Amino acid sequence: MVSRFGSRKAAMTIYKQTCTNLLELSSAKVTEWIAGFDSVITDCDGVLWIYGQGLEGSADVMNQFKAMGKSIYFCTNNSTKTRSELLKKGIELGFNITESGIISTAHATASYLKRRNFRKRVFVIGSEGITKELDAVGISHTKTGPEVMMGSLAEFMAQHLKMDTDIGAVVVGFDEHFSFPKMMKAASYLNDPECLFVATNTDERFPMPNMIVPGSGSFVRAIQTCAERDPFVIGKPNPAICESLIKEKKINPARTLMIGDRANTDILLGYNCGFQTLLVGSGIHQLKDVEQWKLSKNQEDKKLIPDVYLPKLGDLLPAIVNSLTGEK
Ligand SMILES: [Mg+2]
């Protein structure tokens, strides 16, 4: 018989980057896999909810993990909401979470600038999630919202263009009012090498049925191209987003599960931090994408292969109930 430690260790390593479908494992194997992690970090959009609608069973699974004594963290690249707004949304959708369990790029961006003792003004391409978090740490910033082109480019430059003189950073996140004037201003501020270039995240698009909604990465790329500079990226897959959890020993990376629907942010973060990884098919990436990465000769693609897979997080609920009742 395998010792408790032995079976846990095995569960941690045998599925490493195999994209094993948990629905094809026995209840006993799934129970063993669940015993292999103490902390769960989950992405939000595409795993827990989609555009404000909770995904069936996700809250039950996360709440069960918590009831089992596992520590739970929500980690989102979505910069449109503050941590307290995300907390409110999570609670409304039935998740048993606290604000300290929420890692958001809007909050992390403000914390990053605060740590650098930033004292100038931030030019924000983004939404109120960012500006409210900057306000909370006392960093001044430009307004969000529409900034539209007026007249021809020549007319705009002669009559309407107003540049700030004290901008020390350009922060780019999700901005539904992204525009030519914003792009022109951002690139011009970034022409000063002292001006910081910070991207909340580089997700290409939002998970949404029927329509393609551009994500922050689309705006970041546009600015990056005309500024001819690369940004510092705050969000996943940069391990910096989880650095304090690891440094303060709130989580043990080897016994932490990262759940996500997007491999090049969520699963890659897991790879970068040494977490176990679970891809769910309810958002951006699917099994057919993983098959491509398995065949790819590019080593970077191999990093995107998750340990395990589920069509959706709620599919784990029967296995959790079985593991609680001891059924095999
Ligand atoms: Mg997602």
Side-chain angles (χ1 to χ4, degrees), residues 81-90 99 102 104 133:
K81 287 189 165 52
T82 62
R83 284 207 303 177
S84 57
E85 287 164 343
L86 283 162
L87 176 70
K88 189 167 171 273
K89 179 173 176 174
E99 190 164 321
I102 296 176
S104 90
E133 294 286 14

Side-chain angles (χ1 to χ4, degrees), residues 43-47 203 207 236 260-262 266 284:
D43 174 50
C44 299
D45 292 284
V47 179
D203 297 41
K236 298 171 284 186
D261 68 301
R262 177 191 286 280
D266 306 322
I284 300 286

Side-chain angles (χ1 to χ4, degrees), residues 178-288:
F178 188 73
S179 65
F180 190 91
K182 288 186 181 185
M183 199 169 156
M184 193 162 70
K185 282 185 171 183
S188 302
Y189 291 131
L190 290 168
N191 215 25
D192 173 1
E194 298 291 311
C195 184
L196 300 173
F197 182 14
V198 181
T200 57
N201 62 300
T202 54
D203 297 41
E204 293 87 351
R205 48 170 81 169
F206 265 97
M208 197 175 288
N210 308 323
M211 291 294 290
I212 302 293
V213 176
S216 307
S218 308
F219 312 126
V220 172
R221 283 281 183 89
I223 305 292
Q224 196 173 353
T225 304
C226 67
E228 297 183 347
R229 280 178 59 178
D230 292 336
F232 177 75
V233 181
I234 296 283
K236 298 171 284 186
N238 186 344
I241 194 94
C242 291
E243 201 176 75
S244 64
L245 286 181
I246 298 170
K247 271 194 183 155
E248 290 164 20
K249 301 212 182 307
K250 288 183 178 157
I251 59 170
N252 169 0
R255 293 191 53 81
T256 297
L257 175 70
M258 176 74 211
I259 309 172
D261 68 301
R262 177 191 286 280
N264 59 346
T265 51
D266 306 322
I267 303 304
L268 189 55
L269 174 80
Y271 177 92
N272 289 337
C273 292
F275 301 152
Q276 301 174 51
T277 53
L278 162 63
L279 177 73
V280 291
S282 50
I284 300 286
H285 287 128
Q286 308 296 328
L287 276 183
K288 64 175 173 23

